[in-house]
């Protein structure tokens, strides 16, 4: 009996080839020899450890993400009969010699992450004819854990624990294999190809139901939620499955390609029901079901012959799996808070450059302006109506007769490009323009690409991995656009569109190995090209896709071609919060949705309610931008009421510019994040962590978007803190409670944390219009607080050499004193003397846009001031 138990105990290590044999201590790692391969434990920093398991073939030689090699941190190895312990100053990694698993503990010995026994796997396979592995690793996940990140998804899932995800790059979906836990750790799953998160392996066979028998009228699917129409362009697939016990199960519907409808019906109940012109191929949901047999119905395009429906039981494990891997490779980060984790991750993968000051203003965009004149006329109308704007965007097709995607103006409609762009500049607007990577092979501009074999074979997409392609591409963009005065780039379809690397050969080899990384190299090409051409102009790239490390290239992401519905709006909030927890700090959406309800939108009060609420939320996005398909998105197109409501929010954004720009500096300097899920600042408050539709804008402002039609009040949870102030009224509230607050049509609920110091500037029509020689400094009493006011030239990279100023503010609650510290640093034409109007916020004073009654006005010349409150 004892022998049998011993054999059973040995099975998990033996079956996966991970029996411990020996280990060696090297300068930068501990190498553990297993019965199959080598497991390397590599401390990267005091708070980050890389784990690599390699077998007979070498791992990936190219490093795309962790480009900033740090000095090897001090670490020590200790050994017991059962374990190896590798310790840095902050964490200890323990290898269990019997189980083969790794545990991660903080400096006090508390385990914060553990591998699941027997879950580390490298299964041999092939990828496009080359030897590869299916790499898989499981981690324990306790029931009270919240998991965030993985990029931007449209499934509406906030807490990713037990959620199934297929990480590919497609329109509206961005795959970044970085996960953050409410337990204080982050995981970078260091793979460049397709990754399956919590893969659902139980398949439900589906049979296509003949709907062609319905000759004229559509077929109908009856559910408890009502009748669902099935058009003749759609197909219905049906199936059955059986569960042994009642519980929560995760279902993944994978249609294999982008579709316009996700409809999963189980037992007559529509469990997943989404519609849009574009939807990612796969979607998942956790569903509670009873034991026994269940029926399913799946709706998809009639041309889709093999939709796939799978399931898995939920449990206390999180799993990563990559089917096209060269080794198993992941990095664990740990910190006392989220900012520490993300800062450490960025220190290794690249820190975030400052965007120009104007990029934090309003971006006017539509599909599309049709001439240089229409662009100039739009900005003139903004100025005439006192509607602040900093950027106007030219969407696609400006290339006209030059050929699809060619970065060159067709001067039929855009005569004298330098001329109309100068007009925009003279109106104090900046110009952004759409660029694609599938330019017409028959065009003149494509000739050097063709001559040097710079396209991916059998693909319309250029091979951006090739350094020669990167140089050629920037040269074309510079010649056709940047030299004409363009200020920033809208790099569209950088996935490349619709998972375009699958099955393709690239400069680096089989595209399936690098399937997620194309947008990273597009961004690199533009960033490196522009900085080399004109280092006095900060690179600003709006792009539809991203990969880990891309934050180092001056990029902003937006959520793609989403629908203009309340459901889509809600999903963007969750998508943005998770995206920002992957270390990517600049993100936005098409305010109002890309696909909109046609001409009726200009007079439809119901749509205008949605547009207004979306616009209010956009005010408190890191980047503030509107867009819409075949739509004139200018505020005045929607009537006086909508225009006035938008003007209010534009004025709020511009008055907050000193706060926003200073917060952006914290992103670049200290690894901070602007759009902050509440786990970042209130991890000890479980109710705060669970809020999927609230977040902090910077570290002081709580934002609660209105996500329901026709409402005038809104429930807001105020996290446990010293207290909160209604931004609009100055009224004080105690933290740790849910309040019902007023939400009139012209206002979004915003609350400011006690202890906050918020600098407020002047109302402006564009950033830099007026000198910030008078600032209102709002003090929200109730707790100690601090703020650093950051200022620089607003553009160029001299700030990297120290050309900027910082003015520290500190509020001492007990002493009731505000200390304005000595100014640090200089830059050309900085303000040597200015006025600070100190406003002690309370109900009726210091709320909203109105200037508060100063408690005291002081002249500041750079020397320390102490102001008694």
């Amino acid at each position: 009996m004892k022998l049998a138990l011993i054999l059973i105990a040995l099975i998990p290590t033996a079956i996966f080839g991970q029996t411990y044999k020996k280990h060696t201590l090297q300068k930068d790692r501990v190498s553990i020899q297993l019965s199959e391969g080598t497991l390397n434990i590599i401390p990267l920093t005091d708070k980050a450890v890389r784990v690599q398991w390699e077998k007979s073939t070498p791992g990936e030689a190219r490093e795309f993400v962790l480009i900033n090699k740090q000095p090897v941190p001090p670490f020590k190895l200790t050994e017991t009969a059962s374990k190896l312990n590798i310790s840095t100053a902050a964490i200890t990694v323990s290898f269990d010699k019997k189980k083969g698993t790794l545990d991660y503990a903080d400096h006090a010995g508390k385990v914060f992450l553990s591998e699941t026994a027997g879950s580390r796997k490298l299964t041999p396979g092939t990828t496009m004819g080359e030897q590869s592995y299916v790499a898989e690793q499981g981690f324990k996940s306790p029931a009270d854990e919240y998991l965030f990140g993985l990029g931007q998804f449209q499934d509406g899932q906030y807490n990713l624990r037990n959620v199934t995800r297929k990480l590919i790059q497609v329109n509206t979906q961005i795959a970044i294999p970085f996960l953050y836990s409410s337990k204080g750790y982050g995981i970078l799953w260091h793979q460049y190809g397709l990754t399956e998160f919590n893969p659902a392996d139980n398949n439900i066979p589906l049979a296509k139901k003949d709907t062609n028998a319905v000759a004229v009228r559509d077929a109908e699917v009856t559910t408890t939620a009502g009748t669902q129409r099935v058009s003749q362009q759609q197909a219905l697939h049906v199936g059955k499955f059986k569960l042994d016990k009642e519980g929560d199960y995760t279902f993944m519907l994978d249609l294999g390609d982008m579709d316009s409808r996700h409809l999963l019906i189980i037992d007559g109940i529509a469990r997943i029901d989404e519609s849009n012109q574009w939807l990612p191929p796969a979607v998942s949901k956790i569903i509670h079901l009873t034991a026994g047999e269940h029926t399913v119905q799946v709706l998809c395009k009639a041309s889709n012959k093999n939709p796939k429906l799978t399931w898995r039981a939920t449990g206390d494990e999180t799993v990563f799996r990559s089917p096209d891997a060269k080794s198993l490779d992941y990095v664990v980060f740990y910190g006392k808070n989220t900012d520490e984790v993300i800062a450490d991750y960025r220190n290794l993968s690249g820190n975030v450059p400052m965007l120009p000051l104007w990029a934090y203003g309003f971006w006017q965009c539509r599909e599309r302006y049709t001439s240089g004149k229409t662009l100039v006329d739009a900005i003139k109308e903004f100025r005439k109506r006192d509607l602040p704007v900093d950027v106007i965007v030219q969407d696609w097709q400006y290339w006209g007769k030059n050929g699809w995607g060619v970065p060159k103006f067709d001067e039929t409609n855009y005569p004298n490009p330098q001329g109309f762009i100068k007009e925009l500049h003279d109106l104090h607007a900046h110009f952004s323009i759409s660029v694609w990577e599938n330019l017409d092979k028959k065009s003149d501009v494509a000739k050097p690409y063709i001559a040097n074999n710079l396209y991916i074979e059998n693909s319309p997409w250029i091979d951006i991995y090739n350094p020669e392609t990167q140089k050629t591409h920037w040269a074309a963009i510079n010649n056709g656009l940047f030299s004409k005065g363009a200020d920033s780039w809208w790099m569209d379809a950088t996935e490349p569109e619709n998972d375009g690397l699958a099955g393709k050969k690239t400069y680096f080899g089989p595209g399936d190995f690098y399937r997620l990384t194309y947008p990273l190299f597009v961004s690199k090409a533009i960033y490196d090209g522009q900085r080399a051409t004109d280092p006095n102009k900060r690179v600003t790239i709006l792009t539809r896709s991203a990969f880990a490390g891309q934050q180092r290239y001056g990029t902003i992401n937006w959520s793609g071609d989403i629908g203009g519905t309340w459901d889509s709006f809600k999903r963007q909030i969750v998508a943005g919060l998770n995206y920002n927890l992957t270390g990517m700090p600049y993100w936005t959406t098409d305010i109002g949705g890309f696909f909109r309800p046609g001409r009726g939108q200009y007079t439809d009060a119901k749509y205008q309610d949605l547009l207004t609420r979306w616009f209010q939320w956009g005010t408190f996005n890191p980047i503030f931008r509107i867009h819409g398909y075949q739509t004139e998105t200018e505020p005045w197109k929607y009537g006086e009421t909508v225009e006035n409501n938008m003007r209010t929010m534009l004025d709020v954004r511009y008055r907050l510019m000193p706060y926003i720009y200073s917060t952006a500096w914290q992103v670049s300097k200290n690894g901070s994040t602007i759009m902050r899920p509440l786990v970042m600042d209130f991890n000890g408050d479980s109710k705060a962590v669970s809020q999927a539709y609230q977040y902090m804008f910077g570290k002081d402002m709580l934002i609660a978007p209105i996500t329901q039609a026709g409402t005038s009040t809104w429930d807001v949870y105020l996290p446990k803190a010293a207290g909160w102030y209604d931004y609009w009224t100055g009224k004080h509230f105690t933290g740790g409670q849910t309040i019902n607050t007023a939400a009139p049509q012209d206002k979004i609920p915003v609350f400011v944390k006690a202890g906050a110091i918020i600098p407020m500037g002047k109302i402006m029509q564009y950033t830099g219009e007026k000198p910030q020689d008078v600032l209102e400094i709002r003090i929200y009493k109730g707790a100690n607080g601090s703020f650093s006011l950051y200022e620089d030239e607003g553009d160029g990279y001299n700030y990297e050499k120290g050309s900027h100023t910082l003015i520290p503010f500190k509020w001492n609650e007990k002493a009731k004193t505000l200390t304005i510290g000595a100014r640090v640093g200089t830059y050309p034409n900085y303000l040597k003397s200015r006025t600070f109007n100190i406003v002690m916020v309370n109900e009726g004073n210091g709320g909203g846009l109105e200037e508060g009654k100063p408690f005291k006005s002081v002249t500041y010349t750079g020397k320390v001031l102490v102001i008694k409150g």
Side-chain angles (χ1 to χ4, degrees):
M1 187 63 160
K2 281 186 178 180
L3 179 59
L5 289 173
I6 291 171
L7 289 173
I8 290 170
L10 287 175
I11 285 174
T13 53
I15 197 169
F16 298 118
Q18 295 181 52
T19 304
Y20 169 76
K21 297 178 73 175
K22 63 178 182 179
H23 68 273
T24 56
L25 173 63
Q26 300 178 45
K27 180 182 178 181
D28 67 338
R29 69 189 61 196
V30 174
S31 294
I32 303 171
Q33 192 65 45
L34 304 176
S35 53
E36 289 186 17
T38 302
L39 184 69
N40 289 305
I41 313 298
I42 309 168
L44 300 178
T45 71
D46 286 341
K47 295 174 285 188
V49 175
R50 186 173 187 174
V51 176
Q52 292 177 309
W53 182 31
E54 298 180 355
K55 285 192 176 182
S56 57
T57 59
E60 175 60 61
R62 298 180 179 91
E63 180 53 71
F64 297 167
V65 181
L66 306 173
I67 61 164
N68 290 341
K69 190 166 180 62
Q70 306 290 318
V72 177
F75 71 94
K76 65 179 181 178
L77 170 67
T78 58
E79 182 179 9
T80 67
S82 61
K83 290 187 177 182
L84 299 174
N85 296 312
I86 302 98
S87 299
T88 70
I91 59 178
T92 296
V93 184
S94 297
F95 174 77
D96 189 307
K97 295 179 181 178
K98 182 177 180 182
K99 295 180 181 178
T101 56
L102 296 173
D103 291 333
Y104 300 83
D106 62 20
H107 63 86
K110 182 180 178 182
V111 174
F112 59 83
L113 176 65
S114 297
E115 293 181 340
T116 308
S119 67
R120 187 190 306 123
K121 303 173 186 176
L122 276 176
T123 307
T126 59
T127 296
M128 296 177 63
E130 293 193 12
Q131 185 176 349
S132 63
Y133 297 97
V134 179
E136 183 172 332
Q137 180 67 65
F139 300 92
K140 294 180 181 178
S141 179
D144 64 343
E145 183 173 42
Y146 278 75
L147 295 172
F148 305 97
L150 296 186
Q152 170 196 280
F153 285 74
Q154 296 297 323
D155 56 16
Q157 306 283 357
Y158 175 63
N159 180 6
L160 305 184
R161 185 176 182 271
N162 278 310
V163 170
T164 296
R165 287 256 172 97
K166 180 181 179 182
L167 272 65
I168 60 170
Q169 310 285 29
V170 292
N171 190 344
T172 75
Q173 176 173 299
I174 301 172
I176 300 174
F178 184 87
L179 190 72
Y180 179 73
S181 168
S182 60
K183 299 297 180 182
Y185 67 84
I187 296 176
L188 172 66
W189 181 250
H190 198 226
Q191 299 289 344
Y192 304 149
L194 166 68
T195 289
E196 298 164 343
F197 181 72
N198 293 330
D201 293 331
N202 299 292
N203 185 58
I204 300 173
L206 296 174
K208 186 174 181 180
K209 188 175 180 181
D210 183 14
T211 56
N212 291 327
V214 184
V216 179
R217 60 186 182 83
D218 291 347
E220 294 181 350
V221 179
T222 302
T223 76
T224 56
T227 299
Q228 304 279 342
R229 292 281 183 180
V230 182
S231 76
Q232 296 306 297
Q233 287 75 46
Q234 295 176 316
L236 187 65
H237 297 254
V238 297
K240 294 181 180 180
F241 66 99
K242 189 174 183 179
L243 298 175
D244 292 333
K245 61 180 181 179
E246 181 176 354
D248 289 335
Y249 295 87
T250 304
F251 287 81
M252 169 161 275
L253 175 62
D254 187 351
L255 301 180
D257 201 353
M258 296 198 77
D259 209 313
S260 58
R261 185 74 182 278
H262 288 154
L263 179 60
L264 170 63
I265 298 166
I266 301 180
D267 301 330
I269 301 173
R271 306 288 189 163
I272 298 174
D273 191 355
E274 300 175 36
S275 297
N276 189 40
Q277 187 71 25
W278 299 110
L279 287 171
V283 63
S284 72
K285 190 174 184 179
I286 299 173
I287 301 169
H288 187 87
L289 293 173
T290 59
E293 188 173 75
H294 301 271
T295 62
V296 298
Q297 297 168 293
V298 169
L299 191 68
C300 60
K301 289 179 180 177
S303 58
N304 191 330
K305 295 180 173 59
N306 297 299
K308 187 177 180 182
L309 181 63
T310 57
W311 63 271
R312 72 189 293 267
T314 61
D316 297 331
E317 184 182 31
T318 294
V319 178
F320 287 92
R321 178 197 291 164
S322 292
D324 301 302
K326 297 182 180 182
S327 67
L328 189 147
D329 190 349
Y330 69 88
V331 184
V332 173
F333 299 85
Y334 187 70
K336 65 183 180 182
N337 55 44
T338 319
D339 283 331
E340 277 197 2
V341 169
I342 290 178
D344 209 31
Y345 166 55
R346 288 195 196 137
N347 284 337
L348 290 167
S349 62
N351 286 307
V352 181
M354 286 290 287
L355 299 178
L357 176 62
W358 54 259
Y360 302 96
F362 180 61
W363 294 52
Q364 171 59 32
C365 185
R366 78 184 200 194
E367 197 284 314
R368 62 189 171 86
Y369 292 102
T370 55
S371 68
K373 183 178 185 302
T374 58
L375 288 157
V376 172
D377 287 348
I379 291 298
K380 285 181 176 178
E381 192 67 20
F382 268 89
R383 298 291 179 242
K384 177 182 174 183
R385 292 173 178 266
D386 290 332
L387 289 163
V389 63
D390 263 276
V391 191
I392 191 162
V393 184
Q394 173 63 56
D395 202 348
W396 61 351
Q397 299 191 38
Y398 60 87
W399 44 72
K401 63 186 179 186
N402 295 312
W404 169 266
V406 173
K408 183 178 180 181
F409 291 103
D410 181 343
E411 295 201 17
T412 304
N413 293 315
Y414 299 88
N416 185 16
Q418 290 106 321
F420 84 77
I421 295 175
K422 183 180 184 301
E423 282 191 76
L424 293 173
H425 290 164
D426 290 344
L427 289 165
H428 305 285
H430 292 80
F431 180 59
S432 183
I433 189 164
S434 173
V435 178
W436 293 58
E437 278 63 55
N438 59 343
L439 58 164
D440 189 344
K441 292 181 181 180
K442 298 186 293 293
S443 67
D444 289 340
V445 174
K447 286 180 180 178
Y449 297 84
I450 298 291
N452 294 291
N453 196 29
L454 302 182
Y455 279 86
I456 296 172
E457 188 177 354
N458 299 318
S459 170
W461 302 95
I462 61 174
D463 191 346
I464 201 67
Y465 297 114
N466 188 332
E468 188 64 31
T469 310
Q470 295 171 31
K471 293 176 184 176
T472 301
H473 198 43
W474 171 252
I477 293 169
N478 183 32
N479 183 59
L481 303 174
F482 192 58
S483 64
K484 304 295 188 291
D487 299 297
S488 78
W489 313 106
W490 181 3
M491 308 306 296
D492 209 343
T494 50
E495 298 85 4
E497 196 160 49
N498 298 334
D499 199 19
L501 286 187
K504 302 292 184 182
K505 287 282 188 178
T506 74
Y507 177 79
F508 287 155
D512 284 4
F513 282 130
Y514 308 105
R515 200 163 159 185
L516 303 184
T517 62
Y518 193 90
L520 177 70
F521 284 85
V522 173
S523 301
K524 179 182 187 299
I526 304 306
Y527 185 82
D528 290 349
Q530 184 182 317
R531 282 207 69 164
T533 302
D534 185 358
N536 296 315
K537 204 170 190 176
R538 292 180 196 169
V539 183
T540 307
I541 303 170
L542 177 68
T543 181
R544 201 169 75 185
S545 196
F547 188 68
Q550 191 166 302
Q551 74 280 349
R552 62 184 179 253
Y553 295 131
T555 57
I556 304 159
N557 279 89
W558 94 98
S559 59
D561 297 345
I562 53 173
T565 66
W566 286 99
D567 179 60
S568 178
F569 173 36
K570 287 186 68 174
R571 292 173 188 276
Q572 302 322 301
I573 298 169
V574 174
L577 295 182
N578 272 299
Y579 183 78
N580 277 268
L581 278 173
T582 63
M584 302 285 183
Y586 292 118
W587 181 87
T588 185
T589 70
D590 291 354
I591 290 174
F594 181 67
F595 294 110
R596 298 181 174 210
R599 301 297 302 176
Q601 66 183 283
Y602 304 115
T603 55
D604 182 355
K606 290 183 178 179
Y607 176 75
Q608 291 178 8
D609 183 19
L610 168 65
L611 177 63
T612 299
R613 295 306 192 184
W614 205 321
F615 197 89
Q616 290 167 356
W617 173 58
T619 306
F620 296 98
N621 279 198
I623 301 298
F624 186 14
R625 167 185 166 274
I626 197 168
H627 189 45
Y629 180 58
Q630 295 182 346
T631 297
E632 297 177 349
T633 58
E634 294 81 7
W636 56 89
K637 303 292 183 178
Y638 296 88
E640 186 176 357
T641 299
V642 172
E643 180 184 348
N644 288 338
N645 289 340
M646 288 183 172
R647 184 181 289 102
T648 295
M649 299 314 300
L650 287 163
D651 287 343
V652 166
R653 177 79 175 198
Y654 280 76
R655 281 215 71 195
L656 283 170
M657 200 57 66
Y659 173 80
I660 294 168
Y661 199 58
S662 297
T663 300
W665 169 248
Q666 295 302 323
V667 171
S668 294
K669 179 66 175 177
N670 296 317
S672 191
T673 299
I674 298 175
M675 189 176 187
R676 306 172 62 82
L678 296 187
V679 68
M680 298 189 77
D681 298 295
F682 305 99
N683 200 4
D685 183 343
S686 59
K687 189 167 183 179
V689 172
S690 71
Q691 300 300 313
Y693 302 104
Q694 295 182 196
Y695 63 96
M696 297 297 289
F697 185 65
K699 294 187 177 182
D700 295 313
M701 304 185 78
L702 175 71
I703 313 300
I706 304 296
T707 59
Q708 179 179 312
T711 187
S712 59
T713 63
W714 199 246
D715 287 341
V716 178
Y717 178 70
L718 302 176
K720 295 174 183 176
W724 296 89
Y725 291 80
D726 186 320
Y727 169 77
W728 300 104
T729 67
K731 185 177 180 180
H732 179 269
F733 296 88
T734 303
Q737 64 168 328
T738 298
I739 64 167
N740 185 259
T741 189
Q745 193 68 17
D746 63 341
K747 292 182 176 64
I748 178 177
V750 177
F751 291 84
V752 183
K753 188 170 62 173
I757 301 171
I758 305 288
M760 300 284 288
K762 303 171 184 177
I763 290 178
M764 299 190 189
Q765 298 309 302
Y766 53 89
T767 55
E769 180 194 13
K770 303 170 186 175
Q772 298 280 22
D773 54 347
V774 179
L775 288 183
E776 182 177 323
I777 308 299
R778 293 185 177 179
I779 308 298
Y780 295 82
K781 296 185 292 185
N784 292 336
S786 63
F787 188 85
S788 290
L789 179 67
Y790 171 85
E791 293 168 313
D792 63 18
E793 295 167 275
D795 209 343
Y797 291 97
N798 289 331
Y799 76 89
E800 293 178 342
K801 305 169 188 174
S803 186
H804 56 78
T805 61
L806 283 168
I807 301 174
F809 294 79
K810 288 189 178 180
W811 171 254
N812 184 306
E813 176 65 19
K814 184 176 180 180
K816 298 292 188 290
T817 55
L818 173 68
T819 301
I820 307 175
R823 181 176 50 232
V824 178
T826 64
Y827 62 89
N829 301 316
Y830 76 96
L831 288 169
K832 296 179 176 62
S833 177
R834 65 207 306 180
T835 299
F836 291 141
N837 291 326
I838 314 303
V839 174
M840 300 296 178
V841 176
N842 54 51
E843 190 166 7
N845 186 43
L849 280 171
E850 298 299 319
E851 292 185 5
K853 182 179 180 182
F855 167 76
K856 195 165 187 178
S857 292
V858 297
T859 299
Y860 178 77
T861 59
K863 297 179 180 179
V864 176
L865 293 175
V866 180
I867 301 147
K868 185 73 176 175

